Every structure is written in structure tokens, then in C-alpha cells.
Amino acid sequence: MNLVWVVSILIICIPGSTEGASRPAAVNVGAMCTLGTINGRVSKIAIEAAVNDVNSDPTILGGTKLSITFHDSNFSGFLGIIGALKFMESDTVAIIGPQTAVMAHVLSHLANELHVPLLSFTALDPTLSSLQYPYFVQTAPNDLFQMAAIADMVSYFGWTEVAAIFTDDDSGRNGVAALGDKLAEKRHKICYKAALPPEPKATRDDVKNQLVMIRMMESRVIVVHTFAKSGLVVFDVAQELGMMESGYVWIATAWLSTVLDSTSPLSSKTANSIQGALTLRPHTPDSKGKRAFISRWNKLSNGSIGLNPYGLYAYDTVWMLAHAINLLLDQGVTISFSNITSLGGPKGGGTVNLGALSIFHGGKQLLDNILQTNTTGLTGPIAFHPDRSPLNPAYDLINIIENGYQRIGYWSNYSGISVVPPETSSNRSTLNQHLHTVVWPGGTTVKPRGWVFPNNGKQLRIGVPNRVSYRDFVSRRNGTDIVEGYCIDIFLAAIKLLPYAVPYEFVLFGDGLKNPSYNEFVKMIALGKFDAAVGGIAIVTNRTKIVDFTQPYIESGLVVVAPVRRLKSRAWAFLKPFSPLMWGVTAAFFLIIGLVMWILEHRINDEFRGPPRKQIVTILWFSFSTMFFAHRENTVSTLGRMVLIIWLFIVLIINSSYTASLTSMLTVQQLESPITGIDTLVTSTEPIGYQIGSFAQNYLVEELNIPRSRLVPLGSPEAYADALKKRTVAAVVDEKAYIELFLSENCMFSIRGQEFTKSGWGFAFPRDSPLTIDMSTAILTLSENGDLQKIHDKWLSRKTCAQTSDLISDQLQLQSFWGLFLICGIACLIALFIHFLLALRQFSRHSPEAEDQTEPSSHSRRASLSSRLHTFLSFIDKKADESKNNNKTKRKRKEMMVSNGKENCENDSRNISKRIQINNSQEIHINADNDT
């Protein structure tokens, strides 16, 4: 049983206290510890120093003194329990400790009943939950954070599996369980757990037996979670077994850093045995108080032992408890206890007399004061999260080298792995996620691969399908156990490129009477029957859920193969190049262009004028003659020339496309089939063939919802050909790699449409197998250096028949030309718009009604819209020169009429004035006669 130490704080009320009964004059502190351990000796010195510092400052406890008494458990759990019970009989208000998780689990139940808080900085078992043990407080980061740091290191270096060596007690088991959980979060795992007897019972033979087992395994990453004595034995035996050489990775938890800090100098034997190992040290930020305490340490310890971070945590724990007790007294809480004289025994009578154990009435308040601590100590900020975990737990990552050790980086719960100190980085920036150079076992700086093939005398069992068809891909040589083929050659070539030897043997899968099911084949890997699988295994979703695949070495999606027949020449074959819609749109645009050109040229070009019948013939002739660039009418207008240039360019493209398509149809051998691809195959009701064992069946049923009743299993290329010839199936669906080999010998069939799935073939390995990455790298190397193509040509190169997928010329669709027609249509609209704007301008300028401003006619003002439109159309229909002449004539007539009107008016006015003069003279004569 591990030694535990417990520091008990005894409250003794001394008569005559100046503070009265509420504040005692002295507080006695008892301690149980294992002085034979590094942490026990360091913690004793640190606690004594802290108590002396508290007592020297009367402002801390208001004059109350602390008195320390230690009890050595001497590696005995029984003595630890007895010592704790003795202190709890003496009105103990709190216990600093215990040192190990074993004692913490036991004493926490007692503390729960007696309301005595336990404060420990070394019992860091993650399962010491605050819910189960509310009076147990861990004042240092527990092992959950340490295991998270190790998991991040494993992930950072790209390893997948680790072997764990641990002490078989509560701390060791629960710590390794936490490591497994953290590794699982990153898709890593513990491949082997080596348990050692509890400290100090582990012998060299116990350690050697476990290390021999680990040496025979695959993983070369080893995590050591023990105590100092057992841990050093592990490294010593590992060196004897040659396990501290290049290729191994050793990661020790914080026990090794305490050895480095507190043992100086290390023996040469110990120093040599741990070179290249990695370890963690609780990170404590630099501060003035920390530097001052370190400078005092040699005097405090008399040079007997070095200071490690747990000594700093011990010092801070005493101060934390002192402040909490002072706050409790300031809150006016009366320190009082109730003795328990006996505990009830089992039913049936009897009691167990445990003496006068005391229940602390102020224990709950003291616990709350401890958890509300918010100060700064030698270890940095001291405070607790609601789950009682410390603020920002962090570790230094240490690499042990020849002349000591070096810090390669940091880890914290917030920033992860980094070369930046945690107090200056609070986020997981990818820029900081790296470490300094590590010197690994063997003195190399090259990162170890982290695994080898297990040295257990076994070979890798490589599964190979025992096929009866398409034996070029993989087959068994008749009368032997030798397998060969395209897939086998690629596997062998990739194996040769690996930087290490791979022992293997090929194991056939299947009865040899029919092709095996590849889904079942892959499941054998997940079940552990095979260590890998080779041989035309398609990488599909449901398979990737249970195994890992390498990089594909050949592309092979699903395709449709259908029977074909020779296409007979027909009388209307010349219509085939264009689709009906394309023919219709093209004809419409010929007529539209003719009409547009007539509108643009009619007023100024005599060739576009004449009787209506002649003009209609001109429009049709001009339109379709442009197809052959044989139009004889001259184009006069600028707008007409612009439209015609664009149209002739489009006609050139249409003619060229038609000629090329028709030539291909008439000169290249044509094949025809009612199945044009997967779409027509799905919508039909015809039966579909598929290869036995292929994933095509599941895909057709599950993804395309094709009834199983339509599917016909076929076992060989001969069965393909027979079923297609006899029309037993309308088409066959299979992987392209198989179909290409089939078509090389069967010219009566053809691939219809395109591949409707994108997949490839790869080698299958168990999940997280390290071989997957290395084999993928080897396949890429084969592809880059051309060896992959050479192997393909060796096994699969055939003189293939001309296939219809390459020969059939599909009809030209409107989609291929709609952009040209759109440009032409826009050009026509723009030309017509400009033309009519110019015509309107001319009409408004030369219209008689518009120019008759001197004598506006009442009839013109009442002219209807229809008469104006008729006038405009008449204007448009007339030739531009005639319109101008007619307008001039009309203008002259109007001018003559106006001048004639003016002369008549002048003559009339002269006649009127003469009449007035005559009348006036007659009146004068009459008046004279009357006077007489």
C-alpha cells in the first residue's frame, strides 16, 4: 500500500485569548506523509516554510499561530488510515492531503461524514469527483489535463496507437482510462495496457515481462504512468532490452520531471536510460515571489533535495487554507465539534467503537471559503472553476537529452500545444501549434514512425478473392498456391517501396466456383480474419465505414453496356444533323432576316421595290440564298450591311457544323441502341444484368430504386455476351475496369453514356492501420514514376474495338447555337429601331401637315390617328427620292397659292377704297344741292 501523508489542522482554544472564544490563540497542524518519496520530502519542507511565513505575518490569522506535527505512514495504507483517524479525533478542521489517490478515495468518505475538507496537490485521480466527494479539493491540475496533453502530443506527431505502462492502483488505472478517452477523441487508441504492482512492490521481473510483451507488438509509442521508483526501473530494464534505441518513443507523466528537478545529480546509469524520453512538468509562470522562494530553497532544504512544482503547490495550499480559516473567523463562525462515540453496526445488534471522532460544524462554510479563493501564489493565479478544476492548467513539455533536458514547448487547456508560454497565448492558433526540435531515443532528430510490424513470428494475412472471371485482375495459378494478376503486381510493387520489411502471406477467399461477395470480403478485415485485402475492391461508402482504403490505383466507376446494331442509311438521313427545334429556329431566322433586310432597303434600294408579288419573292430569295452566299441583291443601307454581316457569319457557322455532322454520319460506321445511358435504363422496364459479387447490385437497388426483380446476376464475360445477344437482359451494369476488358474481346456491344458513379479500386486495411498511409504514398510514387501504367499495359492492354460511345454523333441542338441567334436578333432589333427613328424624323420634317404653319387647316387638326398612320405608311412605302420631290412640289403649290391670295387681297382693298371715295364725293354733291 502506498504511503500517504496527511496534514491535520487542530484547533485548540487556549484560555486567556485576547480575541475571545471566536478566534483561538493557536491552530495546531498535523501532517501524515511518506518521507521515503520525493514528493513527500519536498512537500514537508514547503509546508513547514509556508506555516512559518503565515505565523510571521500577524495580519493573516489575526494573531493565531499554526503548529506543525508530521506523521510518517512509511508506505502503509493501514498506518495512513490510523493516522487520519487520530487527527480527526482531535477536532481537525481540515486536512492537507493525502498524497495518493488510494488514500484519497478512502479518507474522502470519512471527510464527507465529519465535514472535514481535504486539500491535495498530489492525489490527482480524475475520478475523485466533486459530486461523490464534495469535501475533497484538488489544488493542482488533475491527471485528466495531463492525459489531454499527451493525447495532443500523439496527434501532433501523427501516431495512432500507444502502449501504456501504469501502476495498478486507483491513480494508475483511472489515469490510463482518461488517456484512452482523450486519445479516442482524436481517433487514436491504446493498443496494450501493461499493469505493474503498486508502489513499491514492482520488481525488475515484473517490469521485464511487460516490456517483452510490448516489444513484440506493433506500437513503438510507450506512455509510462507510474511513480518515481517503478518508473526508473522501467527505463532501466528498457535499456537492457534495447528499447531505448532509435524507433521507440517514450512519454512519461509528471513523475519523471519531479525526478529531474529534485534529484541532482542523476546517476550516469539513470541519465543514460532516460535519454530521448519526453515528460511533462506542471507549468508555473515566472514571478518575483517564485524567484524569492527558489532562492530560499537551498537554505530550507539544507541542499538535501531539489524543489519541484509540487513543492510550490504545497506552499500555496497552506496559504490558501490559512486565508480560508481567517475568512471563516471573520465571518463570526464559532468553531465547534460534536463527538461521535460509536457507529451503528449491522442489523442484528452490535456496535463498532471508533472513539471520539469529531464532526466539524463549520466545515461546510470553510469548504465554501476555500472554493471561493481568488488570489495569486507561487504557482500563479489561484482560483477554481465551478467544477473545481484550476484555472488554465498547463504543462511544460520536456525532452531529456544527453547533458540534461530541454523544453520543447508548452501545453495548456486553452492554447493546446505551442511554443508560446500559456500566459501569453489563450487560443489554439494554428500558427503556434508546433514544437521545437526533439532528440529522440538513439540520438536522432528524425521523428520515429511510431510502429513496426509485430515481432511475434506471424505474417500479415492478405486476403485475395478467388475469382472465376476476369482473371487478369487477380487469379490463382492452376495447381499452385501462387496468386497473380494486375492487382497483385501493384501490391507487390508498392510493398517494395516501403522503407521497412513487411512479412505477409496471401490467403484466398471464396470457393473458386463463383466470384465471392466483395462486401463479405471486406467484412472479413473488420472481423480480424484478414490483415488486408487485395483484388479489385471498389472504394464505396458503406465499406469505408468499417475499413480504411489506400489511394486508388485505378479509376473504375459504374457504366452501362448494351447490345448494338448497325445503323442503316435512310432517305431522310440529311435531316439528322439538326434537331427538329434547331431546323425550325433556323428557318424562322432566314425569313426574319429577309423581312428585316426588306424593311431596311425598301425606301432606298430599287432591287427591293416593285409590285407586292415581286417583293415577296425578293424576300424569300434573298433569305435562303444567303445560305450559300449567293444573294444577288446589293445592300445599300448601312444598317442593312451591319445585319447582313452578322447573319452571314452565323450562316457560316451553321453550314460548317451541319457539314461536319453530316459527314460524320455518312462516313463513320454508326451503331444504334435503344439504351443511351443510365437514365433510359432506369426508366425502362427491361431486365438488367450485373456481375456476381459486385457492388453494382446494391447501388442499383438502394440508390436508383430499381426493383430487384429486374436484376439478373451474371458470373462471367461469356454470360454477359450470351445474355445480351439473346436479349435476356437489355443492358449490363458493371465497373468500368471490367467492362473495358470485356469490350476488348466483344465488338458487338458498347458502353452507353458516361460513368454514372465516380470511384476507384484500393487496398483495404483495418481502421487506423499505419500501413494505409505508407501504401498510399507508395501508390502515388508508382503513378509518378510510370510503373503503374507499365503494370496496366502488361495485364490490361488490348486491341479494342471501335465503340459507339466514341462514334455516334448526337444531333446538333439549339442549345449549341442560341447565343448566335440571340446576337442576330438583337442586331435586327437595334437596326429596325434606328431605321424607324430616322423615318419618323424625316416624316415629321417633310410632312405637309407639319409644315403648314401659316394657315393651319381645320381638317388637318381633326385628322384621326388612322389617317396619320396611313399617311406614315404611305411615306414609308415611297422611295426616299420621290417623297422628297413630292414634298417640294407641294411646297411650291402652297407658296403660289399664298402669293396669289395676297395679290387678290390687295386688288380687293384697292376696289373698296375707290368705292368709298366715289360714295364720299357723291354725298358732298348732294349736300351742296340741298344748301342751294
Side-chain angles (χ1 to χ4, degrees):
M1 182 66 68
N2 293 316
L3 174 65
V4 297
W5 60 266
V6 179
V7 179
S8 300
I9 300 179
L10 306 179
I11 307 299
I12 301 178
C13 298
I14 301 177
S17 171
T18 59
E19 296 295 327
S22 62
R23 184 174 287 274
V27 175
N28 294 329
V29 178
M32 288 185 350
C33 59
T34 302
L35 297 179
T37 63
I38 292 176
N39 281 342
R41 298 198 303 270
V42 171
S43 300
K44 179 178 181 296
I45 298 171
I47 290 172
E48 288 177 335
V51 171
N52 290 334
D53 291 344
V54 169
N55 290 338
S56 64
D57 187 351
T59 64
I60 303 301
L61 288 174
T64 300
K65 301 295 183 180
L66 298 180
S67 177
I68 300 293
T69 303
F70 288 95
H71 175 77
D72 187 359
S73 296
N74 195 24
F75 291 97
S76 173
F78 176 74
L79 293 178
I81 295 174
I82 296 301
L85 292 175
K86 286 183 178 180
F87 288 123
M88 289 184 177
E89 290 176 357
S90 304
D91 295 342
T92 301
V93 297
I95 295 175
I96 301 177
Q99 183 175 337
T100 64
V102 174
M103 292 309 304
H105 281 279
V106 175
L107 298 181
S108 292
H109 292 287
L110 190 60
N112 290 347
E113 296 295 330
L114 301 180
H115 299 176
V116 177
L118 302 179
L119 290 81
S120 178
F121 46 86
T122 53
L124 304 177
D125 181 356
T127 64
L128 288 167
S129 166
S130 60
L131 297 177
Q132 184 179 6
Y133 307 113
Y135 281 86
F136 182 80
V137 179
Q138 294 172 328
T139 59
N142 68 41
D143 287 342
L144 181 66
F145 301 104
Q146 188 172 199
M147 299 309 170
I150 294 176
D152 279 353
M153 291 170 63
V154 171
S155 179
Y156 171 81
F157 288 111
W159 303 313
T160 57
E161 295 183 352
V162 303
I165 301 174
F166 63 97
T167 300
D168 193 12
D169 60 8
D170 291 345
S171 177
R173 286 190 299 270
N174 296 330
V176 169
L179 175 62
D181 293 340
K182 291 299 181 180
L183 288 172
E185 291 176 3
K186 301 178 179 299
R187 290 195 63 183
H188 308 314
K189 65 180 180 180
I190 300 175
C191 63
Y192 181 72
K193 297 179 181 179
L196 300 178
E199 188 99 352
K201 297 179 181 180
T203 65
R204 293 182 67 86
D205 288 339
D206 295 329
V207 173
K208 186 173 183 179
N209 291 336
Q210 293 294 346
L211 290 181
V212 169
M213 292 291 295
I214 292 175
R215 189 174 61 175
M216 297 174 63
M217 294 181 179
E218 183 177 278
S219 177
R220 285 294 181 263
V221 182
I222 304 169
V223 176
V224 184
H225 182 50
T226 62
F227 296 98
K229 183 177 180 180
S230 298
L232 292 178
V233 173
V234 169
F235 280 100
D236 188 30
V237 176
Q239 188 178 33
E240 291 181 2
L241 296 176
M243 298 175 67
M244 294 303 297
E245 302 298 329
S246 178
Y248 283 89
V249 177
W250 290 86
I251 303 175
T253 50
W255 67 265
L256 183 54
S257 66
T258 63
V259 173
L260 297 175
D261 292 333
S262 299
T263 305
S264 180
L266 291 173
S267 67
S268 59
K269 183 179 180 181
T270 299
N272 290 334
S273 67
I274 62 176
Q275 281 187 26
L278 302 178
T279 186
L280 296 88
R281 174 198 288 141
H283 177 75
T284 55
D286 187 31
S287 66
K288 182 179 179 180
K290 177 183 173 181
R291 291 193 299 270
F293 187 75
I294 292 174
S295 65
R296 294 170 52 197
W297 182 257
N298 284 335
K299 182 177 181 181
L300 294 173
S301 64
N302 294 320
S304 62
I305 193 170
L307 175 65
N308 65 52
Y310 293 105
L312 302 178
Y313 280 110
Y315 185 90
D316 283 350
T317 301
V318 173
W319 277 88
M320 183 191 308
L321 182 58
H323 283 298
I325 293 174
N326 183 64
L327 180 59
L328 181 71
L329 298 176
D330 289 343
Q331 290 169 343
V333 176
T334 301
I335 298 177
S336 60
F337 298 86
S338 298
N339 293 336
I340 300 178
T341 57
S342 63
L343 296 176
K347 293 181 179 180
T351 60
V352 179
N353 187 5
L354 297 178
L357 297 180
S358 301
I359 298 177
F360 179 29
H361 295 161
K364 181 63 171 63
Q365 186 61 47
L366 178 60
L367 176 65
D368 292 340
N369 292 345
I370 293 170
L371 296 178
Q372 293 172 7
T373 300
N374 189 1
T375 184
T376 300
L378 302 184
T379 58
I382 302 175
F384 296 94
H385 288 294
D387 62 354
R388 297 192 182 182
S389 61
L391 290 177
N392 195 17
Y395 293 89
D396 297 340
L397 306 182
I398 305 299
N399 177 212
I400 302 172
I401 57 178
E402 183 176 0
N403 297 319
Y405 60 86
Q406 61 176 351
R407 182 167 53 203
I408 60 173
Y410 305 88
W411 179 92
S412 77
N413 193 38
Y414 299 103
S415 61
I417 287 177
S418 175
V419 293
V420 180
E423 55 268 23
T424 61
S425 176
S426 60
N427 60 75
R428 290 179 177 263
S429 172
T430 56
L431 298 177
N432 296 330
Q433 295 290 314
H434 62 277
L435 298 173
H436 297 302
T437 302
V438 179
V439 179
W440 303 100
T444 179
T445 57
V446 178
K447 186 198 76 173
R449 189 170 65 246
W451 67 276
V452 295
F453 286 99
N455 186 19
N456 53 14
K458 295 182 180 180
Q459 295 179 319
L460 293 181
R461 292 171 55 85
I462 309 298
V464 177
N466 192 6
R467 297 186 59 88
V468 297
S469 63
Y470 296 114
R471 296 171 62 85
D472 294 290
F473 291 101
V474 59
S475 64
R476 176 185 181 182
R477 188 178 297 176
N478 293 333
T480 67
D481 292 332
I482 300 174
V483 292
E484 59 185 2
Y486 170 71
C487 300
I488 300 299
D489 279 6
I490 292 179
F491 178 79
L492 296 177
I495 285 288
K496 292 179 181 179
L497 294 177
L498 298 182
Y500 45 84
V502 180
Y504 64 89
E505 60 176 339
F506 292 117
V507 181
L508 292 172
F509 176 75
D511 55 13
L513 302 177
K514 62 179 180 179
N515 293 333
S517 169
Y518 274 68
N519 286 335
E520 295 299 323
F521 185 31
V522 172
K523 288 180 181 178
M524 298 297 287
I525 303 174
L527 295 175
K529 303 295 183 181
F530 295 133
D531 298 309
V534 176
I537 307 172
I539 304 172
V540 294
T541 304
N542 62 334
R543 296 174 184 172
T544 58
K545 295 177 181 179
I546 58 176
V547 298
D548 285 344
F549 283 95
T550 62
Q551 174 80 14
Y553 55 85
I554 187 173
E555 298 296 328
S556 184
L558 292 178
V559 294
V560 176
V561 174
V564 294
R565 58 188 175 86
R566 196 175 300 276
L567 181 64
K568 296 179 180 179
S569 180
R570 298 177 181 177
W572 300 98
F574 68 91
L575 295 176
K576 285 290 185 180
F578 287 167
S579 65
L581 180 60
M582 180 64 183
W583 279 118
V585 172
T586 303
F589 261 85
F590 273 107
L591 295 176
I592 290 172
I593 291 299
L595 181 61
V596 170
M597 291 300 298
W598 178 82
I599 293 174
L600 298 176
E601 297 289 325
H602 178 66
R603 297 188 67 239
I604 59 177
N605 194 339
D606 291 336
E607 295 183 4
F608 286 86
R609 299 186 60 80
R613 183 175 182 180
K614 176 185 177 183
Q615 296 185 47
I616 293 174
V617 171
T618 300
I619 292 173
L620 296 175
W621 167 255
F622 182 85
S623 299
F624 291 102
S625 63
T626 56
M627 181 186 300
F628 312 102
F629 306 96
H631 53 286
R632 53 184 175 79
E633 292 81 6
N634 293 323
T635 304
V636 177
S637 67
T638 303
L639 294 175
R641 290 174 178 175
M642 179 191 72
V643 172
L644 184 60
I645 288 174
I646 295 174
W647 175 243
L648 291 178
F649 173 72
I650 295 173
V651 168
L652 175 63
I653 295 176
I654 293 174
N655 281 344
S656 301
S657 302
Y658 175 86
T659 303
S661 180
L662 183 61
T663 301
S664 175
M665 289 182 175
L666 296 179
T667 58
V668 180
Q669 182 185 19
Q670 294 296 301
L671 299 171
E672 187 182 73
S673 171
I675 302 299
T676 60
I678 188 61
D679 294 332
T680 55
L681 186 61
V682 171
T683 55
S684 70
T685 58
E686 299 294 331
I688 304 170
Y690 69 92
Q691 182 185 176
I692 296 175
S694 170
F695 78 96
Q697 179 187 16
N698 289 340
Y699 186 87
L700 293 174
V701 173
E702 297 175 5
E703 301 297 331
L704 301 182
N705 299 319
I706 296 177
R708 290 184 182 272
S709 58
R710 290 182 58 191
L711 303 183
V712 179
L714 302 172
S716 66
E718 293 76 15
Y720 285 10
D722 186 62
L724 290 171
K725 288 178 182 178
K726 294 179 179 180
R727 297 295 191 267
T728 306
V729 295
V732 171
V733 175
D734 203 354
E735 297 171 57
K736 187 176 181 180
Y738 293 126
I739 292 303
E740 288 179 342
L741 194 61
F742 167 72
L743 295 179
S744 66
E745 300 174 355
N746 295 272
C747 297
M748 299 293 294
F749 313 101
S750 170
I751 296 176
R752 309 301 294 166
Q754 304 296 322
E755 290 182 65
F756 56 92
T757 66
K758 296 295 183 182
S759 62
W761 291 355
F763 303 133
F765 291 91
R767 295 296 297 271
D768 301 322
S769 171
L771 262 177
T772 306
I773 297 176
D774 291 347
M775 288 294 285
S776 294
T777 303
I779 291 172
L780 291 174
T781 302
L782 291 174
S783 176
E784 293 171 357
N785 62 22
D787 289 344
L788 204 62
Q789 185 62 42
K790 292 177 182 178
I791 298 174
H792 181 278
D793 295 340
K794 173 185 174 182
W795 289 98
L796 306 180
S797 180
R798 299 286 191 277
K799 184 179 179 180
T800 59
C801 305
Q803 300 300 324
T804 58
S805 60
D806 297 327
L807 299 178
I808 289 185
S809 300
D810 293 333
Q811 287 182 322
L812 297 175
Q813 303 292 329
L814 178 61
Q815 289 85 341
S816 302
F817 299 93
W818 72 269
L820 294 174
F821 288 125
L822 178 63
I823 293 173
C824 184
I826 293 174
C828 292
L829 291 176
I830 293 174
L832 290 176
F833 179 74
I834 295 174
H835 175 75
F836 281 111
L837 282 180
L838 295 175
L840 283 172
R841 182 184 176 189
Q842 294 175 4
F843 175 73
S844 62
R845 181 178 296 176
H846 302 293
S847 174
E849 292 82 354
E851 294 180 355
D852 192 4
Q853 301 296 334
T854 56
E855 289 186 8
S857 172
S858 61
H859 176 72
S860 62
R861 286 195 301 267
R862 293 191 300 268
S864 65
L865 180 62
S866 60
S867 62
R868 292 182 61 84
L869 179 61
H870 182 269
T871 304
F872 177 71
L873 293 177
S874 299
F875 175 79
I876 289 295
D877 184 58
K878 292 180 180 180
K879 192 174 181 181
D881 295 339
E882 294 179 0
S883 298
K884 293 179 181 179
N885 294 333
N886 291 339
N887 289 334
K888 290 179 181 180
T889 303
K890 289 180 179 180
R891 262 190 239 106
K892 290 180 179 180
R893 290 177 180 175
K894 286 183 178 181
E895 291 175 356
M896 292 177 63
M897 291 176 64
V898 171
S899 60
N900 292 334
K902 289 180 179 180
E903 292 177 358
N904 293 332
C905 289
E906 291 177 356
N907 293 331
D908 291 340
S909 60
R910 290 191 193 100
N911 293 331
I912 291 171
S913 60
K914 288 179 179 180
R915 290 175 183 171
I916 292 173
Q917 291 177 359
I918 294 171
N919 290 333
N920 290 335
S921 62
Q922 290 177 354
E923 288 178 359
I924 293 172
H925 289 294
I926 292 172
N927 291 331
D929 291 337
N930 291 333
D931 292 336
T932 304

